[in-house]
PDB file of all heavy atoms in Angstrom:
ATOM      1  N   LYS C 765     -33.475   7.258 -34.724  1.00 96.00           N
ATOM      2  CA  LYS C 765     -32.611   7.057 -35.902  1.00 96.00           C
ATOM      3  C   LYS C 765     -31.501   6.040 -35.630  1.00 96.00           C
ATOM      4  O   LYS C 765     -31.150   5.249 -36.490  1.00 96.00           O
ATOM      5  CB  LYS C 765     -31.996   8.395 -36.319  1.00 96.00           C
ATOM      6  CG  LYS C 765     -32.986   9.261 -37.092  1.00 96.00           C
ATOM      7  CD  LYS C 765     -32.360  10.570 -37.511  1.00 96.00           C
ATOM      8  CE  LYS C 765     -33.419  11.476 -38.143  1.00 96.00           C
ATOM      9  NZ  LYS C 765     -32.982  12.887 -38.166  1.00 96.00           N
ATOM     10  N   LYS C 766     -30.932   6.120 -34.416  1.00 95.00           N
ATOM     11  CA  LYS C 766     -29.815   5.243 -34.054  1.00 95.00           C
ATOM     12  C   LYS C 766     -30.254   3.779 -33.990  1.00 95.00           C
ATOM     13  O   LYS C 766     -29.496   2.876 -34.332  1.00 95.00           O
ATOM     14  CB  LYS C 766     -29.288   5.686 -32.686  1.00 95.00           C
ATOM     15  CG  LYS C 766     -27.960   5.123 -32.267  1.00 95.00           C
ATOM     16  CD  LYS C 766     -27.490   5.796 -30.978  1.00 95.00           C
ATOM     17  CE  LYS C 766     -26.366   5.053 -30.298  1.00 95.00           C
ATOM     18  NZ  LYS C 766     -26.110   5.574 -28.945  1.00 95.00           N
ATOM     19  N   TYR C 767     -31.470   3.572 -33.527  1.00 95.00           N
ATOM     20  CA  TYR C 767     -32.033   2.220 -33.438  1.00 95.00           C
ATOM     21  C   TYR C 767     -33.302   2.173 -34.262  1.00 95.00           C
ATOM     22  O   TYR C 767     -34.400   2.129 -33.726  1.00 95.00           O
ATOM     23  CB  TYR C 767     -32.350   1.878 -31.984  1.00 95.00           C
ATOM     24  CG  TYR C 767     -31.189   2.038 -31.044  1.00 95.00           C
ATOM     25  CD1 TYR C 767     -31.075   3.153 -30.230  1.00 95.00           C
ATOM     26  CD2 TYR C 767     -30.189   1.068 -30.979  1.00 95.00           C
ATOM     27  CE1 TYR C 767     -30.000   3.307 -29.364  1.00 95.00           C
ATOM     28  CE2 TYR C 767     -29.107   1.212 -30.117  1.00 95.00           C
ATOM     29  CZ  TYR C 767     -29.021   2.334 -29.312  1.00 95.00           C
ATOM     30  OH  TYR C 767     -27.954   2.484 -28.458  1.00 95.00           O
ATOM     31  N   PRO C 768     -33.184   2.194 -35.614  1.00 94.00           N
ATOM     32  CA  PRO C 768     -34.395   2.292 -36.449  1.00 94.00           C
ATOM     33  C   PRO C 768     -35.307   1.089 -36.253  1.00 94.00           C
ATOM     34  O   PRO C 768     -34.845  -0.036 -36.069  1.00 94.00           O
ATOM     35  CB  PRO C 768     -33.839   2.348 -37.872  1.00 94.00           C
ATOM     36  CG  PRO C 768     -32.496   1.722 -37.785  1.00 94.00           C
ATOM     37  CD  PRO C 768     -31.970   2.022 -36.420  1.00 94.00           C
ATOM     38  N   TYR C 769     -36.601   1.352 -36.286  1.00 91.00           N
ATOM     39  CA  TYR C 769     -37.588   0.278 -36.143  1.00 91.00           C
ATOM     40  C   TYR C 769     -37.794  -0.367 -37.501  1.00 91.00           C
ATOM     41  O   TYR C 769     -38.176   0.287 -38.470  1.00 91.00           O
ATOM     42  CB  TYR C 769     -38.897   0.859 -35.618  1.00 91.00           C
ATOM     43  CG  TYR C 769     -39.981  -0.180 -35.507  1.00 91.00           C
ATOM     44  CD1 TYR C 769     -39.774  -1.355 -34.796  1.00 91.00           C
ATOM     45  CD2 TYR C 769     -41.212   0.007 -36.135  1.00 91.00           C
ATOM     46  CE1 TYR C 769     -40.762  -2.319 -34.699  1.00 91.00           C
ATOM     47  CE2 TYR C 769     -42.214  -0.950 -36.033  1.00 91.00           C
ATOM     48  CZ  TYR C 769     -41.978  -2.102 -35.319  1.00 91.00           C
ATOM     49  OH  TYR C 769     -42.957  -3.050 -35.222  1.00 91.00           O
ATOM     50  N   LEU C 770     -37.533  -1.661 -37.568  1.00 85.00           N
ATOM     51  CA  LEU C 770     -37.578  -2.355 -38.857  1.00 85.00           C
ATOM     52  C   LEU C 770     -38.823  -3.212 -39.017  1.00 85.00           C
ATOM     53  O   LEU C 770     -38.882  -4.065 -39.893  1.00 85.00           O
ATOM     54  CB  LEU C 770     -36.333  -3.238 -38.994  1.00 85.00           C
ATOM     55  CG  LEU C 770     -35.008  -2.496 -38.800  1.00 85.00           C
ATOM     56  CD1 LEU C 770     -33.868  -3.469 -38.603  1.00 85.00           C
ATOM     57  CD2 LEU C 770     -34.709  -1.576 -39.974  1.00 85.00           C
ATOM     58  N   GLY C 771     -39.809  -3.015 -38.164  1.00 83.00           N
ATOM     59  CA  GLY C 771     -41.014  -3.841 -38.232  1.00 83.00           C
ATOM     60  C   GLY C 771     -40.878  -5.042 -37.333  1.00 83.00           C
ATOM     61  O   GLY C 771     -39.788  -5.421 -36.915  1.00 83.00           O
ATOM     62  N   LYS C 772     -41.993  -5.653 -37.031  1.00 71.00           N
ATOM     63  CA  LYS C 772     -42.029  -6.688 -36.000  1.00 71.00           C
ATOM     64  C   LYS C 772     -41.149  -7.894 -36.328  1.00 71.00           C
ATOM     65  O   LYS C 772     -40.449  -8.419 -35.474  1.00 71.00           O
ATOM     66  CB  LYS C 772     -43.476  -7.153 -35.781  1.00 71.00           C
ATOM     67  CG  LYS C 772     -43.900  -6.926 -34.329  1.00 71.00           C
ATOM     68  CD  LYS C 772     -45.239  -7.473 -33.989  1.00 71.00           C
ATOM     69  CE  LYS C 772     -45.227  -8.015 -32.597  1.00 71.00           C
ATOM     70  NZ  LYS C 772     -45.434  -7.096 -31.524  1.00 71.00           N
ATOM     71  N   LYS C 773     -41.171  -8.332 -37.578  1.00 60.00           N
ATOM     72  CA  LYS C 773     -40.422  -9.525 -37.974  1.00 60.00           C
ATOM     73  C   LYS C 773     -38.903  -9.362 -37.876  1.00 60.00           C
ATOM     74  O   LYS C 773     -38.209 -10.192 -37.344  1.00 60.00           O
ATOM     75  CB  LYS C 773     -40.793  -9.932 -39.419  1.00 60.00           C
ATOM     76  CG  LYS C 773     -42.110 -10.663 -39.527  1.00 60.00           C
ATOM     77  CD  LYS C 773     -41.981 -12.122 -39.144  1.00 60.00           C
ATOM     78  CE  LYS C 773     -43.327 -12.818 -38.949  1.00 60.00           C
ATOM     79  NZ  LYS C 773     -44.129 -12.953 -40.169  1.00 60.00           N
ATOM     80  N   GLN C 774     -38.429  -8.232 -38.415  1.00 54.00           N
ATOM     81  CA  GLN C 774     -36.978  -8.066 -38.478  1.00 54.00           C
ATOM     82  C   GLN C 774     -36.393  -7.357 -37.262  1.00 54.00           C
ATOM     83  O   GLN C 774     -35.270  -6.883 -37.292  1.00 54.00           O
ATOM     84  CB  GLN C 774     -36.569  -7.270 -39.732  1.00 54.00           C
ATOM     85  CG  GLN C 774     -37.001  -7.883 -41.032  1.00 54.00           C
ATOM     86  CD  GLN C 774     -38.253  -7.184 -41.552  1.00 54.00           C
ATOM     87  OE1 GLN C 774     -39.177  -6.896 -40.794  1.00 54.00           O
ATOM     88  NE2 GLN C 774     -38.276  -6.920 -42.827  1.00 54.00           N
ATOM     89  N   ASN C 775     -37.182  -7.288 -36.226  1.00 55.00           N
ATOM     90  CA  ASN C 775     -36.719  -6.492 -35.088  1.00 55.00           C
ATOM     91  C   ASN C 775     -35.459  -7.095 -34.448  1.00 55.00           C
ATOM     92  O   ASN C 775     -35.497  -8.138 -33.805  1.00 55.00           O
ATOM     93  CB  ASN C 775     -37.829  -6.363 -34.042  1.00 55.00           C
ATOM     94  CG  ASN C 775     -37.532  -5.256 -33.077  1.00 55.00           C
ATOM     95  OD1 ASN C 775     -36.374  -4.874 -32.927  1.00 55.00           O
ATOM     96  ND2 ASN C 775     -38.547  -4.737 -32.436  1.00 55.00           N
ATOM     97  N   ILE C 776     -34.370  -6.427 -34.679  1.00 51.00           N
ATOM     98  CA  ILE C 776     -33.093  -6.972 -34.225  1.00 51.00           C
ATOM     99  C   ILE C 776     -32.807  -6.663 -32.765  1.00 51.00           C
ATOM    100  O   ILE C 776     -31.874  -7.179 -32.184  1.00 51.00           O
ATOM    101  CB  ILE C 776     -31.906  -6.424 -35.063  1.00 51.00           C
ATOM    102  CG1 ILE C 776     -31.910  -4.885 -35.024  1.00 51.00           C
ATOM    103  CG2 ILE C 776     -31.965  -6.943 -36.486  1.00 51.00           C
ATOM    104  CD1 ILE C 776     -30.616  -4.256 -35.450  1.00 51.00           C
ATOM    105  N   TYR C 777     -33.616  -5.790 -32.178  1.00 51.00           N
ATOM    106  CA  TYR C 777     -33.297  -5.348 -30.823  1.00 51.00           C
ATOM    107  C   TYR C 777     -33.512  -6.427 -29.785  1.00 51.00           C
ATOM    108  O   TYR C 777     -32.969  -6.371 -28.712  1.00 51.00           O
ATOM    109  CB  TYR C 777     -34.077  -4.083 -30.478  1.00 51.00           C
ATOM    110  CG  TYR C 777     -33.859  -3.079 -31.547  1.00 51.00           C
ATOM    111  CD1 TYR C 777     -34.811  -2.859 -32.532  1.00 51.00           C
ATOM    112  CD2 TYR C 777     -32.644  -2.424 -31.633  1.00 51.00           C
ATOM    113  CE1 TYR C 777     -34.561  -1.981 -33.551  1.00 51.00           C
ATOM    114  CE2 TYR C 777     -32.380  -1.545 -32.655  1.00 51.00           C
ATOM    115  CZ  TYR C 777     -33.359  -1.331 -33.615  1.00 51.00           C
ATOM    116  OH  TYR C 777     -33.097  -0.467 -34.632  1.00 51.00           O
ATOM    117  N   LYS C 778     -34.329  -7.413 -30.156  1.00 46.00           N
ATOM    118  CA  LYS C 778     -34.581  -8.523 -29.236  1.00 46.00           C
ATOM    119  C   LYS C 778     -33.303  -9.205 -28.804  1.00 46.00           C
ATOM    120  O   LYS C 778     -33.147  -9.590 -27.671  1.00 46.00           O
ATOM    121  CB  LYS C 778     -35.452  -9.590 -29.930  1.00 46.00           C
ATOM    122  CG  LYS C 778     -36.856  -9.164 -30.209  1.00 46.00           C
ATOM    123  CD  LYS C 778     -37.575 -10.344 -30.847  1.00 46.00           C
ATOM    124  CE  LYS C 778     -38.582  -9.830 -31.859  1.00 46.00           C
ATOM    125  NZ  LYS C 778     -39.272 -10.915 -32.557  1.00 46.00           N
ATOM    126  N   LYS C 779     -32.431  -9.382 -29.757  1.00 44.00           N
ATOM    127  CA  LYS C 779     -31.262 -10.219 -29.471  1.00 44.00           C
ATOM    128  C   LYS C 779     -30.110  -9.420 -28.856  1.00 44.00           C
ATOM    129  O   LYS C 779     -29.160  -9.985 -28.361  1.00 44.00           O
ATOM    130  CB  LYS C 779     -30.794 -10.915 -30.759  1.00 44.00           C
ATOM    131  CG  LYS C 779     -31.851 -11.805 -31.389  1.00 44.00           C
ATOM    132  CD  LYS C 779     -31.874 -11.628 -32.899  1.00 44.00           C
ATOM    133  CE  LYS C 779     -33.228 -12.008 -33.493  1.00 44.00           C
ATOM    134  NZ  LYS C 779     -33.414 -11.462 -34.843  1.00 44.00           N
ATOM    135  N   GLU C 780     -30.170  -8.140 -29.005  1.00 48.00           N
ATOM    136  CA  GLU C 780     -28.981  -7.348 -28.701  1.00 48.00           C
ATOM    137  C   GLU C 780     -28.683  -7.131 -27.235  1.00 48.00           C
ATOM    138  O   GLU C 780     -27.558  -6.841 -26.868  1.00 48.00           O
ATOM    139  CB  GLU C 780     -29.051  -6.001 -29.396  1.00 48.00           C
ATOM    140  CG  GLU C 780     -28.606  -6.125 -30.851  1.00 48.00           C
ATOM    141  CD  GLU C 780     -28.458  -4.777 -31.487  1.00 48.00           C
ATOM    142  OE1 GLU C 780     -28.566  -3.772 -30.806  1.00 48.00           O
ATOM    143  OE2 GLU C 780     -28.231  -4.759 -32.702  1.00 48.00           O
ATOM    144  N   GLY C 781     -29.704  -7.255 -26.426  1.00 49.00           N
ATOM    145  CA  GLY C 781     -29.461  -7.018 -25.004  1.00 49.00           C
ATOM    146  C   GLY C 781     -28.973  -5.621 -24.719  1.00 49.00           C
ATOM    147  O   GLY C 781     -28.235  -5.384 -23.784  1.00 49.00           O
ATOM    148  N   ASN C 782     -29.378  -4.686 -25.534  1.00 55.00           N
ATOM    149  CA  ASN C 782     -28.908  -3.309 -25.357  1.00 55.00           C
ATOM    150  C   ASN C 782     -30.064  -2.359 -25.565  1.00 55.00           C
ATOM    151  O   ASN C 782     -30.727  -2.382 -26.582  1.00 55.00           O
ATOM    152  CB  ASN C 782     -27.822  -3.010 -26.384  1.00 55.00           C
ATOM    153  CG  ASN C 782     -27.155  -1.682 -26.074  1.00 55.00           C
ATOM    154  OD1 ASN C 782     -27.755  -0.820 -25.426  1.00 55.00           O
ATOM    155  ND2 ASN C 782     -25.932  -1.528 -26.519  1.00 55.00           N
ATOM    156  N   SER C 783     -30.344  -1.561 -24.568  1.00 59.00           N
ATOM    157  CA  SER C 783     -31.360  -0.544 -24.778  1.00 59.00           C
ATOM    158  C   SER C 783     -30.842   0.779 -24.277  1.00 59.00           C
ATOM    159  O   SER C 783     -31.550   1.593 -23.730  1.00 59.00           O
ATOM    160  CB  SER C 783     -32.660  -0.927 -24.077  1.00 59.00           C
ATOM    161  OG  SER C 783     -32.527  -0.814 -22.696  1.00 59.00           O
TER     162      SER C 783
ATOM    163  N   GLU D 423     -41.922  -0.547 -29.656  1.00 96.00           N
ATOM    164  CA  GLU D 423     -41.521  -1.059 -30.967  1.00 96.00           C
ATOM    165  C   GLU D 423     -40.222  -1.862 -30.885  1.00 96.00           C
ATOM    166  O   GLU D 423     -40.066  -2.872 -31.540  1.00 96.00           O
ATOM    167  CB  GLU D 423     -41.325   0.106 -31.942  1.00 96.00           C
ATOM    168  CG  GLU D 423     -42.624   0.674 -32.501  1.00 96.00           C
ATOM    169  CD  GLU D 423     -42.374   1.836 -33.469  1.00 96.00           C
ATOM    170  OE1 GLU D 423     -41.201   2.228 -33.662  1.00 96.00           O
ATOM    171  OE2 GLU D 423     -43.348   2.348 -34.032  1.00 96.00           O
ATOM    172  N   ARG D 424     -39.295  -1.386 -30.064  1.00 95.00           N
ATOM    173  CA  ARG D 424     -37.979  -2.042 -29.962  1.00 95.00           C
ATOM    174  C   ARG D 424     -37.943  -3.150 -28.900  1.00 95.00           C
ATOM    175  O   ARG D 424     -36.903  -3.754 -28.670  1.00 95.00           O
ATOM    176  CB  ARG D 424     -36.912  -0.968 -29.668  1.00 95.00           C
ATOM    177  CG  ARG D 424     -36.533  -0.199 -30.921  1.00 95.00           C
ATOM    178  CD  ARG D 424     -36.156   1.229 -30.643  1.00 95.00           C
ATOM    179  NE  ARG D 424     -36.105   2.022 -31.864  1.00 95.00           N
ATOM    180  CZ  ARG D 424     -37.199   2.574 -32.444  1.00 95.00           C
ATOM    181  NH1 ARG D 424     -38.399   2.402 -31.933  1.00 95.00           N
ATOM    182  NH2 ARG D 424     -37.065   3.274 -33.546  1.00 95.00           N
ATOM    183  N   GLU D 425     -39.108  -3.358 -28.258  1.00 95.00           N
ATOM    184  CA  GLU D 425     -39.228  -4.403 -27.221  1.00 95.00           C
ATOM    185  C   GLU D 425     -38.161  -4.262 -26.136  1.00 95.00           C
ATOM    186  O   GLU D 425     -37.495  -5.223 -25.747  1.00 95.00           O
ATOM    187  CB  GLU D 425     -39.168  -5.804 -27.865  1.00 95.00           C
ATOM    188  CG  GLU D 425     -40.281  -5.986 -28.886  1.00 95.00           C
ATOM    189  CD  GLU D 425     -40.283  -7.370 -29.544  1.00 95.00           C
ATOM    190  OE1 GLU D 425     -39.713  -8.310 -28.956  1.00 95.00           O
ATOM    191  OE2 GLU D 425     -40.874  -7.499 -30.641  1.00 95.00           O
ATOM    192  N   TRP D 426     -38.007  -3.028 -25.658  1.00 96.00           N
ATOM    193  CA  TRP D 426     -37.013  -2.760 -24.631  1.00 96.00           C
ATOM    194  C   TRP D 426     -37.570  -2.898 -23.212  1.00 96.00           C
ATOM    195  O   TRP D 426     -36.808  -2.790 -22.240  1.00 96.00           O
ATOM    196  CB  TRP D 426     -36.458  -1.329 -24.795  1.00 96.00           C
ATOM    197  CG  TRP D 426     -35.463  -1.183 -25.909  1.00 96.00           C
ATOM    198  CD1 TRP D 426     -34.795  -2.185 -26.542  1.00 96.00           C
ATOM    199  CD2 TRP D 426     -35.015   0.039 -26.502  1.00 96.00           C
ATOM    200  NE1 TRP D 426     -33.964  -1.666 -27.503  1.00 96.00           N
ATOM    201  CE2 TRP D 426     -34.077  -0.302 -27.505  1.00 96.00           C
ATOM    202  CE3 TRP D 426     -35.312   1.387 -26.303  1.00 96.00           C
ATOM    203  CZ2 TRP D 426     -33.441   0.663 -28.290  1.00 96.00           C
ATOM    204  CZ3 TRP D 426     -34.664   2.338 -27.082  1.00 96.00           C
ATOM    205  CH2 TRP D 426     -33.744   1.972 -28.066  1.00 96.00           C
ATOM    206  N   LYS D 428     -38.368  -5.289 -21.421  1.00 96.00           N
ATOM    207  CA  LYS D 428     -37.812  -6.358 -20.577  1.00 96.00           C
ATOM    208  C   LYS D 428     -36.489  -5.954 -19.892  1.00 96.00           C
ATOM    209  O   LYS D 428     -36.139  -6.507 -18.854  1.00 96.00           O
ATOM    210  CB  LYS D 428     -37.643  -7.656 -21.357  1.00 96.00           C
ATOM    211  CG  LYS D 428     -36.707  -7.594 -22.535  1.00 96.00           C
ATOM    212  CD  LYS D 428     -36.584  -8.952 -23.208  1.00 96.00           C
ATOM    213  CE  LYS D 428     -36.422  -8.900 -24.719  1.00 96.00           C
ATOM    214  NZ  LYS D 428     -37.234  -7.940 -25.470  1.00 96.00           N
ATOM    215  N   TYR D 429     -35.791  -4.999 -20.479  1.00 97.00           N
ATOM    216  CA  TYR D 429     -34.554  -4.515 -19.835  1.00 97.00           C
ATOM    217  C   TYR D 429     -34.834  -3.431 -18.799  1.00 97.00           C
ATOM    218  O   TYR D 429     -33.974  -3.112 -17.988  1.00 97.00           O
ATOM    219  CB  TYR D 429     -33.594  -3.942 -20.886  1.00 97.00           C
ATOM    220  CG  TYR D 429     -33.279  -4.923 -21.976  1.00 97.00           C
ATOM    221  CD1 TYR D 429     -33.677  -4.704 -23.289  1.00 97.00           C
ATOM    222  CD2 TYR D 429     -32.598  -6.096 -21.682  1.00 97.00           C
ATOM    223  CE1 TYR D 429     -33.394  -5.624 -24.291  1.00 97.00           C
ATOM    224  CE2 TYR D 429     -32.320  -7.027 -22.671  1.00 97.00           C
ATOM    225  CZ  TYR D 429     -32.726  -6.780 -23.967  1.00 97.00           C
ATOM    226  OH  TYR D 429     -32.456  -7.705 -24.940  1.00 97.00           O
TER     227      TYR D 429
END
Side-chain angles (χ1 to χ4, degrees):
Chain C
K765 282 181 186 162
K766 193 173 165 191
Y767 306 101
Y769 177 54
L770 306 166
K772 239 186 143 84
K773 281 280 168 66
Q774 301 100 317
N775 196 338
I776 56 163
Y777 308 101
K778 291 182 214 177
K779 300 138 204 162
E780 278 189 7
N782 190 336
S783 71
Chain D
E423 282 180 357
R424 282 148 193 83
E425 301 181 21
W426 283 343
K428 61 178 145 319
Y429 304 114

